[in-house]
Amino acid sequence: MTSPSLPPFRRLAILSALVDEQRGLIEHLQQRHKVEHAGRHFWLGTLGGTPVVLTVSRIGKVSAAITATLLIERFGADAIVFTGVAGGLGDGVKVGDVVVAQDFLQHDLDVSPLFPRYEVPAYGRSRFECHPTLSQALAEAVKAALAQGLSPDFGQAQLHRGLIASGDRFVCGAEESAHLQTRLRAAGHEALAVEMEGAAVAQVCADHGLPFAAMRTISDRADDTAHLDFAKFVQAVASRYAERIVWQLLGVPQPGLA
Ligand code: SAH
């Protein structure tokens, strides 16, 4: 039943960015039932004794914010763990590595000069923190999963922890990603990875005072070949990573694994 450092959950939401990441978990869900709501599929049940709700975020900040709100308001989630893939931005953040988010920022939000660039109006800040204990438990789960040598194809995968930038754009160009990094640095933000949903979910969780943690496996370097690397990677390994890490977090052996 979950890592000893965590309180018991009334219902832990496991939010996946990709359908592939969720498939294996649904297979092992006990007392499984599916609810369709707002065009989305929510899977309820228990995993290794922990009550859970599983769903796919959908791509982009608005879709992800709607999904997160529904998880909390309609399905009684009292914590959200988000898994997905991202483009590597930080130096040394390579394909196959995993980033556990410390906090999130919306890299495409700009209400300047009325507010400082990236600041979310009404919040007085641009960065939304993840829950320290839940993130620590997730990082431990990632470490344990990586120690099992998850993917020989990608060499020695590393765990990184830090800022992740989200925006409604698949960053797919060396020049674009360098430019993005430069703009963020100019405002004092050092982002490790870029994706399209995390900051939205972090903000929803902040509004509800709900613990939130997120991990992203690096699928590409947000450069000119990002779209090719992304597709290959997702099929090959990302889904297996996410599944392994979730079982580690739940503190039970992964079913069917030798
Ligand atoms: N072909 C996919 C679309 C993927 S969009 C499909 O059919 O579903 C990319 C997804 O991966 C988003 O959820 C985003 O969060 C993440 N991602 C991976 N690499 C990214 C990058 N370089 N820039 C932005 N998002 C990225």
Side-chain angles (χ1 to χ4, degrees):
M1 282 268 228
T2 58
S3 147
S5 56
L6 295 176
F9 297 110
R10 197 174 61 238
R11 192 170 292 283
L12 172 67
I14 299 166
L15 185 56
S16 309
L18 308 163
V19 179
D20 286 328
E21 292 177 313
Q22 198 197 32
R23 203 164 283 133
L25 296 173
I26 291 174
E27 257 173 49
H28 294 107
L29 201 57
Q30 296 191 306
Q31 293 118 45
R32 174 173 67 189
H33 65 287
K34 183 173 82 168
V35 179
E36 286 189 43
H37 180 70
R40 291 156 167 80
H41 295 172
F42 295 87
W43 293 87
L44 296 128
T46 63
L47 275 181
T50 300
V52 294
V53 50
L54 313 178
T55 197
V56 172
S57 63
R58 292 196 168 175
I59 294 167
K61 290 185 294 171
V62 174
S63 298
I66 294 167
T67 308
T69 304
L70 290 171
L71 282 170
I72 301 165
E73 295 279 346
R74 182 140 187 143
F75 296 96
D78 58 352
I80 296 181
V81 170
F82 198 177
T83 70
V85 295
L89 270 191
D91 302 334
V93 181
K94 57 186 194 308
V95 172
D97 285 358
V98 178
V99 178
V100 170
Q102 220 144 53
D103 49 6
F104 280 96
L105 159 157
Q106 294 185 47
H107 69 73
D108 56 353
L109 183 68
D110 185 3
V111 199
S112 63
L114 301 176
F115 294 88
R117 190 163 195 170
Y118 307 117
E119 183 171 313
V120 186
Y123 291 81
R125 62 194 157 121
S126 50
R127 289 163 76 150
F128 285 76
E129 297 264 334
C130 297
H131 189 268
T133 317
L134 190 55
S135 300
Q136 182 58 31
L138 185 59
E140 298 296 335
V142 171
K143 269 190 235 160
L146 291 180
Q148 292 171 353
L150 258 184
S151 177
D153 317 354
F154 291 93
Q156 191 49 57
Q158 275 184 291
L159 166 67
H160 308 267
R161 298 183 71 176
L163 176 68
I164 299 182
S166 310
D168 288 321
R169 184 171 172 77
F170 184 73
V171 179
C172 188
E175 211 175 306
E176 184 186 345
S177 72
H179 188 228
L180 172 62
Q181 185 80 306
T182 306
R183 271 194 284 115
L184 287 168
R185 278 185 182 151
H189 306 294
E190 190 65 44
L192 295 180
V194 60
E195 42 83 297
M196 304 178 66
E197 299 84 15
V201 178
Q203 189 174 332
V204 169
C205 288
D207 282 348
H208 288 81
L210 207 81
F212 171 60
M215 55 114 333
R216 293 272 172 167
T217 308
I218 301 304
S219 54
D220 55 78
R221 278 290 304 175
D223 56 10
D224 300 343
T225 60
H227 56 301
L228 304 174
D229 298 337
F230 171 84
K232 205 165 52 179
F233 186 82
V234 166
Q235 278 178 359
V237 290
S239 49
R240 282 192 284 131
Y241 264 68
E243 203 183 330
R244 186 82 65 92
I245 290 163
V246 168
W247 284 111
Q248 286 287 349
L249 180 72
L250 293 171
V252 284
Q254 183 173 349
L257 207 74

Short mmCIF file of all heavy atoms in Angstrom, two decimals, residues 17-18 59 85-87 169-171 194-197 216 219-220 222 226 230, ligand 1:
data_model
loop_
_atom_site.label_atom_id
_atom_site.label_comp_id
_atom_site.label_asym_id
_atom_site.label_seq_id
_atom_site.Cartn_x
_atom_site.Cartn_y
_atom_site.Cartn_z
N ALA A 17 -0.60 11.03 -19.81
CA ALA A 17 -0.70 11.90 -20.98
C ALA A 17 -1.04 11.05 -22.21
O ALA A 17 -1.63 11.56 -23.16
CB ALA A 17 0.61 12.65 -21.20
N LEU A 18 -0.68 9.79 -22.17
CA LEU A 18 -0.84 8.94 -23.36
C LEU A 18 -1.62 7.67 -23.03
O LEU A 18 -1.44 7.09 -21.96
CB LEU A 18 0.55 8.53 -23.88
CG LEU A 18 1.53 9.67 -24.12
CD1 LEU A 18 2.94 9.14 -24.22
CD2 LEU A 18 1.15 10.41 -25.39
N ILE A 59 -4.35 16.17 -24.76
CA ILE A 59 -3.18 17.00 -25.05
C ILE A 59 -3.52 18.49 -24.95
O ILE A 59 -4.56 18.92 -25.43
CB ILE A 59 -2.63 16.65 -26.45
CG1 ILE A 59 -2.09 15.21 -26.43
CG2 ILE A 59 -1.53 17.63 -26.87
CD1 ILE A 59 -1.80 14.64 -27.79
N VAL A 85 5.44 11.98 -21.34
CA VAL A 85 6.74 12.18 -21.96
C VAL A 85 6.94 13.67 -22.21
O VAL A 85 6.00 14.44 -22.15
CB VAL A 85 6.88 11.38 -23.28
CG1 VAL A 85 6.84 9.89 -23.03
CG2 VAL A 85 5.82 11.78 -24.30
N ALA A 86 8.17 14.05 -22.45
CA ALA A 86 8.49 15.46 -22.66
C ALA A 86 9.74 15.58 -23.51
O ALA A 86 10.51 14.63 -23.65
CB ALA A 86 8.72 16.15 -21.31
N GLY A 87 9.94 16.76 -24.05
CA GLY A 87 11.16 17.06 -24.77
C GLY A 87 12.22 17.56 -23.78
O GLY A 87 11.90 18.34 -22.88
N ARG A 169 2.13 23.88 -27.52
CA ARG A 169 2.93 23.80 -28.73
C ARG A 169 3.90 22.63 -28.60
O ARG A 169 4.58 22.50 -27.57
CB ARG A 169 3.70 25.12 -28.84
CG ARG A 169 4.49 25.25 -30.04
CD ARG A 169 5.06 26.65 -30.22
NE ARG A 169 5.98 26.58 -31.34
CZ ARG A 169 5.59 26.53 -32.61
NH1 ARG A 169 4.35 26.62 -32.92
NH2 ARG A 169 6.48 26.41 -33.58
N PHE A 170 3.94 21.78 -29.62
CA PHE A 170 4.94 20.71 -29.66
C PHE A 170 6.24 21.35 -30.15
O PHE A 170 6.31 21.81 -31.28
CB PHE A 170 4.47 19.58 -30.60
CG PHE A 170 5.39 18.40 -30.62
CD1 PHE A 170 5.45 17.52 -29.54
CD2 PHE A 170 6.22 18.16 -31.71
CE1 PHE A 170 6.30 16.43 -29.55
CE2 PHE A 170 7.08 17.07 -31.74
CZ PHE A 170 7.12 16.20 -30.64
N VAL A 171 7.20 21.44 -29.28
CA VAL A 171 8.45 22.14 -29.62
C VAL A 171 9.33 21.21 -30.44
O VAL A 171 9.79 20.17 -29.96
CB VAL A 171 9.18 22.64 -28.36
CG1 VAL A 171 10.48 23.34 -28.73
CG2 VAL A 171 8.29 23.57 -27.56
N VAL A 194 10.27 20.26 -21.63
CA VAL A 194 9.10 20.98 -22.13
C VAL A 194 8.02 19.97 -22.53
O VAL A 194 8.32 18.95 -23.15
CB VAL A 194 9.48 21.92 -23.31
CG1 VAL A 194 10.08 21.16 -24.49
CG2 VAL A 194 8.30 22.75 -23.76
N GLU A 195 6.79 20.27 -22.12
CA GLU A 195 5.65 19.44 -22.51
C GLU A 195 4.42 20.33 -22.62
O GLU A 195 4.56 21.54 -22.71
CB GLU A 195 5.49 18.24 -21.56
CG GLU A 195 5.69 18.52 -20.09
CD GLU A 195 4.46 19.06 -19.42
OE1 GLU A 195 4.01 20.18 -19.80
OE2 GLU A 195 3.97 18.44 -18.48
N MET A 196 3.22 19.72 -22.60
CA MET A 196 2.05 20.51 -22.99
C MET A 196 0.90 20.50 -21.98
O MET A 196 -0.17 21.01 -22.28
CB MET A 196 1.53 20.03 -24.36
CG MET A 196 2.59 20.09 -25.44
SD MET A 196 2.03 19.48 -27.05
CE MET A 196 0.80 20.68 -27.48
N GLU A 197 1.10 19.94 -20.78
CA GLU A 197 -0.03 19.82 -19.85
C GLU A 197 0.26 20.13 -18.38
O GLU A 197 -0.62 20.59 -17.64
CB GLU A 197 -0.60 18.37 -19.90
CG GLU A 197 -1.12 17.92 -21.23
CD GLU A 197 -0.05 17.37 -22.16
OE1 GLU A 197 1.07 17.06 -21.68
OE2 GLU A 197 -0.31 17.26 -23.37
N ARG A 216 8.09 12.88 -16.10
CA ARG A 216 8.09 12.85 -17.57
C ARG A 216 9.33 12.12 -18.04
O ARG A 216 10.45 12.45 -17.64
CB ARG A 216 8.08 14.26 -18.13
CG ARG A 216 6.81 15.04 -17.85
CD ARG A 216 5.78 14.81 -18.91
NE ARG A 216 4.49 15.38 -18.59
CZ ARG A 216 3.48 15.52 -19.45
NH1 ARG A 216 3.63 15.14 -20.70
NH2 ARG A 216 2.33 16.01 -19.08
N SER A 219 11.37 11.94 -24.32
CA SER A 219 11.14 11.21 -25.57
C SER A 219 11.92 11.80 -26.74
O SER A 219 12.08 11.16 -27.78
CB SER A 219 9.65 11.24 -25.91
OG SER A 219 9.17 12.57 -25.95
N ASP A 220 12.37 13.05 -26.58
CA ASP A 220 13.03 13.75 -27.69
C ASP A 220 13.77 14.95 -27.10
O ASP A 220 13.66 15.23 -25.92
CB ASP A 220 11.98 14.22 -28.72
CG ASP A 220 10.88 15.06 -28.07
OD1 ASP A 220 11.11 16.25 -27.80
OD2 ASP A 220 9.80 14.52 -27.79
N ALA A 222 13.34 18.06 -28.29
CA ALA A 222 12.60 19.25 -28.76
C ALA A 222 13.34 19.92 -29.92
O ALA A 222 13.27 21.13 -30.10
CB ALA A 222 12.39 20.23 -27.60
N ALA A 226 12.48 15.90 -33.33
CA ALA A 226 11.65 15.57 -32.16
C ALA A 226 10.44 14.71 -32.51
O ALA A 226 10.11 13.77 -31.80
CB ALA A 226 11.19 16.86 -31.47
N PHE A 230 9.95 11.13 -30.94
CA PHE A 230 8.79 11.03 -30.07
C PHE A 230 8.01 9.75 -30.38
O PHE A 230 7.73 8.95 -29.49
CB PHE A 230 7.90 12.26 -30.26
CG PHE A 230 6.58 12.17 -29.58
CD1 PHE A 230 6.44 12.50 -28.24
CD2 PHE A 230 5.45 11.71 -30.25
CE1 PHE A 230 5.21 12.40 -27.59
CE2 PHE A 230 4.23 11.60 -29.63
CZ PHE A 230 4.11 11.95 -28.29
N1 SAH B 1 1.14 11.95 -31.77
C1 SAH B 1 0.58 12.19 -30.47
C2 SAH B 1 0.61 13.65 -30.19
C3 SAH B 1 1.66 13.96 -29.21
S1 SAH B 1 1.78 15.62 -28.73
C4 SAH B 1 -0.81 11.63 -30.42
O1 SAH B 1 -1.29 11.22 -31.46
O2 SAH B 1 -1.39 11.53 -29.37
C5 SAH B 1 3.12 15.45 -27.65
C6 SAH B 1 2.84 14.95 -26.27
O3 SAH B 1 4.06 14.63 -25.64
C7 SAH B 1 2.20 16.01 -25.40
O4 SAH B 1 1.31 15.37 -24.51
C8 SAH B 1 3.40 16.66 -24.70
O5 SAH B 1 3.12 16.88 -23.33
C9 SAH B 1 4.55 15.68 -24.83
N2 SAH B 1 5.77 16.13 -25.51
C10 SAH B 1 6.78 15.30 -25.87
N3 SAH B 1 7.76 15.97 -26.49
C11 SAH B 1 7.37 17.27 -26.56
C12 SAH B 1 7.96 18.43 -27.15
N4 SAH B 1 9.13 18.38 -27.78
N5 SAH B 1 7.27 19.60 -27.04
C13 SAH B 1 6.07 19.64 -26.42
N6 SAH B 1 5.48 18.56 -25.88
C14 SAH B 1 6.10 17.38 -25.94
#
